[in-house]
């Protein structure tokens, strides 16, 4: 016997004859779907499409007094109240730690927020790697105290300070330095991804003497600057935010901007901001 002829395929009633709608590939990235940590200001959150993404490493680069540490302190106090509901680990290499400023930023309605900011001094790259290994235990086995929160925010202020004096320009030292970059970034990314946490690293800047270095560049305080540690470190972070300052001709007024230098989920754009007694806040263009 001959086998029966196959039946023709019939489209179900739920099948649409229309072409599938194109997906924005940026929306498929983990950083766009991850939980976000708010910066505490709607304008700055809008710049970052909701805040700093979890499971990735964000660098905040800028010259001295551009607002890097101010943002880190603000994030540390926001973490317990955010959807992350977390404590923060603040690794400080630019000593002394600004405890007085942290207390000033803490709202009087939530004095207990200071209890969720853990501070540790970092003196060298090896010291940092040791502390991150210790932090792994705290993140994997958080305290069971009813008043404690798991650590899901790690702040390092700053990475450049750790490499300030122990390395020279010899090929051997440059190779050793790059190796430490990759070890540190791998550990930070591991902690961020495994525990769905936010990692923020601040970086200083250096003057661009001549030519295009291939690294991010911007004008700040009348100088063309680039984040320290070069392209090797730039390849170690997922997102780079660049803070710049413009000092008025009278020497009094200062305008600050936050720019998205690169990110897998954001376009390049910027927002002006101010540093006030009660924190860091964005400025609408119409307000100027």
């Amino acid at each position: 016997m001959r086998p029966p002829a196959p039946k023709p395929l019939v489209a179900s009633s739920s099948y649409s004859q229309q072409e599938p709608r194109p997906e924005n590939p940026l929306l498929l990235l983990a950083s766009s779907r991850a939980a976000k940590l708010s910066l505490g200001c709607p304008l700055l959150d809008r710049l970052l499409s909701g805040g700093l993404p979890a499971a990735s490493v964000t660098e905040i680069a800028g010259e001295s007094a551009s607002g890097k540490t101010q943002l880190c302190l603000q994030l540390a106090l926001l973490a317990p109240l955010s959807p992350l509901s977390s404590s923060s680990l603040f690794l400080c290499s630019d000593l002394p730690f600004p405890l007085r400023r942290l207390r000033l930023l803490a709202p009087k309605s939530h004095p207990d927020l200071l209890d969720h900011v853990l501070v540790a001094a970092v003196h060298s790259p090896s010291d940092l790697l040791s502390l991150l290994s210790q932090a792994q235990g705290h993140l994997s086995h958080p305290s069971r105290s009813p008043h404690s929160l798991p650590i899901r925010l790690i702040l390092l202020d700053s990475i450049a300070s750790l490499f300030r004096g122990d390395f020279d320009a010899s090929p051997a030292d440059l190779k050793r330095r790059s190796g430490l970059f990759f070890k540190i970034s791998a550990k930070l990314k591991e902690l961020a991804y495994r525990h769905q946490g936010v990692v923020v690293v601040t970086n200083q800047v250096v003057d661009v003497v001549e030519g295009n270095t291939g690294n991010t560049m911007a004008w700040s305080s009348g100088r063309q600057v680039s984040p320290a540690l070069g392209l090797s470190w730039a390849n170690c972070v997922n997102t780079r935010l660049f803070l710049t300052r413009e000092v008025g001709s009278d020497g009094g007024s200062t305008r600050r901007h936050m720019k998205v230098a690169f990110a897998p989920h954001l376009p390049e754009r910027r927002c002006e901001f101010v540093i006030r007694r009660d924190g860091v806040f964005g400025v609408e263009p119409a307000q100027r």
Side-chain angles (χ1 to χ4, degrees), residues 219 227 234 247 268:
W219 288 92
V247 182
E268 288 189 17

Side-chain angles (χ1 to χ4, degrees), residues 20-93:
R21 296 180 61 185
E23 288 275 5
N24 182 350
L26 296 180
L27 298 179
L28 303 179
L29 294 168
S31 53
S32 64
R33 304 191 305 269
K36 303 287 180 66
L37 174 60
S38 169
L39 272 70
C41 169
L43 294 178
L44 297 179
D45 285 343
R46 185 172 67 190
L47 175 74
L48 304 179
S49 295
L52 302 181
S56 69
V57 177
T58 300
E59 179 199 69
I60 303 177
E63 66 172 305
S64 176
S66 60
K68 305 184 298 296
T69 300
Q70 301 288 330
L71 278 169
C72 288
L73 295 175
Q74 186 159 304
L75 290 168
L77 293 171
L78 289 167
L81 304 176
S82 73
L84 291 178
S85 186
S86 78
S87 296
S88 60
L89 175 60
F90 202 118
L91 303 174
C92 183
S93 64

